[in-house]
Amino acid sequence: MTSVTATKRSGPDDPHGGCSGRDGQGGQGGRPPRFWRAEPPGPPPRGLGGLGDRAAWFLVLPALIPILILSVGPLLYGIALAFTDAQSGRTRSTQWIGTLNFQDLLHDTLFWDSFRIGLVWAVGVTVPQFLLALGLALLLNQNLRLRWLARALAIVPWAMPEVVVGIMWRLVYNPDAGILNETIRDLGLGDGRDWLTGLATALPAVILVGIWAGMPQTTVALLAGLQNTPRELHEAAALDGAGAWRRFRTVTWPAIKPIALAISALNLIWNFNSFALVYVLTSGGPGGRTRLPMLFAYEEAFRYGQFGYAAAMGCVMVAVISVLLALFLVGRLRGGEDR
């Protein structure tokens, strides 16, 4: 409890120093007089603030040092490398060439084709992935029998490494003994086709695998948002005569909208940076139809030894991702101000 002290006032009408009433408390009913004031808490002992800051930095360092060494350091080195003519070979000297790599990128049609393919891949995976994950999350949020088993099976693709997923789907798409072509033959729909080497089917086939592999994490995030939505709101809307679609639009969607925007933005960035899944499935073929920007940069660096040029590609991709993040953060801040 806060201690209080009375500031005495002396005068002809108050011979006792301004305290009147029962037990010298003043006023009626033992209430303290108006001129009593609470003493503010004193300052903390000298030196505790600095010690606390040092302790906080000491606790942060184990997590901060790996980030600086494994993320920030290579990022800065890659940016510096983009302004050089670094190539493979021990005897080759590296020269500073300024923005020449970026000037070459502006006229590199192969890179911009891979950039366009990367955008098609990222959007083509993210949008269907979100819609299917939303439907699955709504289904798993219902009170169904064996719901726990369905939830466990739904996250199985998420638990599998991308390399394993790629190998498994290559077996599915195998033109001779793959499950897909065997099913087509059994149904009498044709002899099947080579899905991963066809110019018209390679990118859609890879997009389908990307949707399947990334849908579990979106489902889990949306399901968490659905479970945090109060059921009383749904019950009140149902009593008012709202149908399923109207309840979703007025109750469910406003509750999960922040989660939906966040997971969609992250999925778009992750899909744009995809490498392992597409590399295992097609290695960028056929004819570059599935060559994503990350695959193109990988080939330039480790197949042709053009490290400086590949680093410039990486800088462009980092800039694009930074713009996407900035747009997302601005949208989130504006949404917060509107509320």
Side-chain angles (χ1 to χ4, degrees):
M1 297 180 62
T2 304
S3 61
V4 294
T5 58
T7 301
K8 294 185 179 181
R9 296 181 181 178
S10 60
D13 297 334
D14 191 3
H16 300 287
C19 294
S20 62
R22 184 180 301 177
D23 296 332
Q25 297 296 324
Q28 296 179 357
R31 295 179 181 177
R34 292 180 300 172
F35 47 83
W36 285 32
R37 66 178 184 271
E39 289 185 351
R46 184 177 300 177
L48 287 182
L51 181 61
D53 294 341
R54 294 173 186 173
W57 279 109
F58 181 76
L59 294 175
V60 169
L61 280 179
L64 185 61
I65 291 177
I67 294 176
L68 293 175
I69 295 176
L70 301 178
S71 297
V72 179
L75 176 62
L76 296 178
Y77 178 74
I79 293 175
L81 202 65
F83 296 92
T84 67
D85 63 347
Q87 297 182 12
S88 61
R90 293 184 178 181
T91 60
R92 185 174 183 83
S93 60
T94 299
Q95 304 293 330
W96 183 269
I97 60 174
T99 60
L100 185 59
N101 286 328
F102 296 95
Q103 295 176 18
D104 292 340
L105 273 180
L106 292 177
H107 306 287
D108 192 342
T109 56
L110 293 178
F111 173 73
W112 293 112
D113 285 343
S114 70
F115 205 87
R116 176 185 57 81
I117 294 172
L119 291 177
V120 172
W121 153 268
V123 176
V125 172
T126 302
V127 175
Q129 187 181 91
F130 173 78
L131 296 177
L132 293 174
L134 179 60
L136 183 58
L138 290 172
L139 179 63
L140 295 178
N141 195 43
Q142 303 298 320
N143 190 14
L144 304 175
R145 295 184 59 185
L146 299 178
R147 182 175 58 177
W148 61 272
L149 180 60
R151 290 180 177 177
L153 294 176
I155 64 174
V156 168
W158 193 14
M160 300 173 63
E162 288 187 324
V163 175
V164 176
V165 172
I167 294 173
M168 182 184 70
W169 277 90
R170 287 194 65 174
L171 296 175
V172 172
Y173 285 135
N174 187 279
D176 298 324
I179 297 175
L180 181 59
N181 282 342
E182 288 293 334
T183 303
I184 292 176
R185 295 188 189 100
D186 292 340
L187 295 177
L189 301 178
D191 295 332
R193 59 193 310 171
D194 197 347
W195 300 94
L196 295 178
T197 58
L199 296 177
T201 59
L203 185 57
V206 172
I207 288 176
L208 178 63
V209 179
I211 294 172
W212 182 85
M215 192 171 65
Q217 60 185 4
T218 309
T219 302
V220 171
L222 295 176
L223 182 59
L226 291 173
Q227 290 181 338
N228 289 329
T229 304
R231 293 189 176 272
E232 293 79 5
L233 298 178
H234 290 277
E235 295 173 356
L239 290 176
D240 291 338
W245 169 247
R246 188 175 179 183
R247 290 198 304 271
F248 173 80
R249 185 170 53 87
T250 58
V251 178
T252 304
W253 177 248
I256 65 172
K257 183 178 179 180
I259 298 176
L261 293 177
I263 194 64
S264 297
L266 292 176
N267 283 339
L268 187 65
I269 294 171
W270 288 334
N271 292 327
F272 185 77
N273 286 329
S274 293
F275 173 79
L277 185 63
V278 181
Y279 182 77
V280 173
L281 285 169
T282 62
S283 298
R289 294 301 177 91
T290 60
R291 185 187 290 127
L292 305 182
M294 288 293 294
L295 283 172
F296 193 83
Y298 169 81
E299 291 179 351
E300 288 292 325
F302 299 103
R303 178 175 294 181
Y304 305 114
Q306 302 293 330
F307 294 134
Y309 194 55
M313 295 180 187
C315 290
V316 172
M317 288 183 283
V318 169
V320 171
I321 293 171
S322 300
V323 170
L324 293 177
L325 281 176
L327 293 175
F328 171 72
L329 292 176
V330 169
R332 291 287 294 158
L333 291 176
R334 287 181 179 177
E337 292 176 356
D338 294 340
R339 289 191 296 269

